[in-house]
Amino acid sequence: MENSQSEPIIEVQDLVAAFQDRIILNEINFRVAAGEIFMIIGGSGCGKTTLLKHMVGLNLPFSGRVLIDGIDITSGNSDKFHGVLSRIGILFQGGALFGSMTLAENITLPIITYTDLPKSAVDRMVRMKLCMVDLGNYANFYPSQISGGMKKRAALARAMALNPKILFLDEPTAGLDPITAAEIDELILKINRSLGTTMIIVTHDLDSIMKIGDRVIMLDKTIRGVIAQGDPRILKQENNDPMVQYFFNRQPNRNPGS
């Protein structure tokens, strides 16, 4: 849950995201406390994934800063940036597993890239990560040989390979049936509660938002910014902004041009 008294593990300050002359996000500000499950929500095209990419350094902002553990990843200091990379894990939309590698090989890759551990230790870590996501018997399977839900879990295991303090997840339940999506939610909760991992999740899945989200920011493409933030259960009941109510109550926007 949000702890406003503690130092944030992530802070986004006056972030402006732009492509060529088009502003996508304008002056975004928020903080994330350690151990939170923090969600970035909103309708299609509002800039959720764009914001996530700026938060992990894949895109540089037009202006503003992103601080992770107090380190400005937008400063251009490559040494500091690479130091931060070992503290974060990323689950890309669709999983982005390497199809030519087994699940074990996919998880092995970041470990051997960022550590000098002996093979025996790497193998133990890989087995642990696969067991953590209930894929212990699938180490030698290729992504094409498993289901969509299993691919998400395998990608989550890879994202957790280096025991990151912070995990970024882009639409972790997209394209899954309700039962499998609920299983992914339970897995996210288990990791968060057992390891204290801070989670930043991009999603528009209302069930996930209401079930596991400690706090959300809601983006709106019209204003190119944040229109609401807080506990999603409270926002649904108490926020009077029409766009917030349309979203949480699955209602069509009767004035889409407004």
Side-chain angles (χ1 to χ4, degrees):
M1 294 292 185
E2 177 184 10
N3 183 352
S4 59
Q5 302 303 312
S6 64
E7 285 298 314
I9 195 168
I10 298 173
E11 188 167 6
V12 175
Q13 301 175 343
D14 299 322
L15 185 138
V16 177
F19 295 109
Q20 297 180 344
D21 294 329
R22 181 177 172 230
I23 293 177
I24 308 300
L25 297 168
N26 192 35
E27 295 188 359
I28 305 296
N29 289 276
F30 62 90
R31 293 176 156 199
V32 181
E36 273 195 295
I37 297 180
F38 183 92
M39 292 182 155
I40 301 169
I41 69 173
S44 298
C46 67
K48 299 186 297 294
T49 295
T50 296
L51 177 56
L52 186 77
K53 288 180 177 179
H54 281 75
M55 292 176 70
V56 299
L58 289 176
N59 291 344
L60 289 176
F62 178 78
S63 62
R65 302 197 303 167
V66 176
L67 305 179
I68 295 181
D69 251 0
I71 297 172
D72 181 1
I73 68 166
T74 63
S75 68
N77 187 314
S78 59
D79 289 337
K80 287 185 177 181
F81 176 65
H82 286 294
V84 168
L85 286 180
S86 63
R87 306 179 205 180
I88 69 174
I90 306 171
L91 172 61
F92 294 101
Q93 191 174 150
L97 295 168
F98 292 103
S100 60
M101 295 181 176
T102 65
L103 302 190
E105 289 168 342
N106 267 277
I107 299 168
T108 297
L109 186 59
I111 300 175
I112 62 175
T113 300
Y114 288 99
T115 75
D116 296 317
L117 293 172
K119 185 178 185 303
S120 58
V122 173
D123 290 344
R124 284 196 300 273
M125 287 182 66
V126 170
R127 284 196 298 272
M128 287 174 58
K129 300 308 177 186
L130 284 170
C131 288
M132 179 181 70
V133 298
D134 300 321
L135 291 175
N137 295 324
Y138 292 87
N140 295 319
F141 280 63
Y142 289 88
S144 61
Q145 296 174 314
I146 59 176
S147 68
M150 294 168 76
K151 289 177 184 175
K152 293 276 190 177
R153 284 189 275 152
L156 184 55
R158 185 179 64 183
M160 292 295 297
L162 297 173
N163 299 319
K165 294 174 64 174
I166 307 167
L167 192 59
F168 294 87
L169 304 97
D170 191 2
E171 299 284 6
T173 59
L176 302 179
D177 65 84
I179 294 174
T180 304
E183 292 172 350
I184 296 295
D185 285 341
E186 287 294 334
L187 181 56
I188 290 170
L189 275 177
K190 182 177 77 170
I191 293 170
N192 172 259
R193 289 169 177 172
S194 62
L195 301 178
T197 308
T198 304
M199 308 281 194
I200 313 298
I201 304 175
V202 165
T203 187
H204 57 258
D205 185 331
L206 274 176
D207 288 338
S208 293
I209 292 166
M210 304 307 287
K211 181 178 180 181
I212 70 173
D214 291 328
R215 196 159 55 96
V216 304
I217 58 167
M218 183 172 181
L219 302 179
D220 179 75
K221 64 182 178 182
T222 302
I223 69 165
R224 302 182 181 90
V226 178
I227 59 170
Q229 58 181 303
D231 185 317
R233 291 152 289 272
I234 295 176
L235 290 179
K236 180 178 180 179
Q237 296 298 323
E238 299 182 5
N239 190 290
N240 294 320
D241 188 297
M243 296 306 299
V244 175
Q245 288 303 307
Y246 294 150
F247 183 89
F248 279 106
N249 293 288
R250 296 175 62 90
Q251 296 172 343
N253 179 6
R254 301 301 182 186
N255 299 290
S258 61

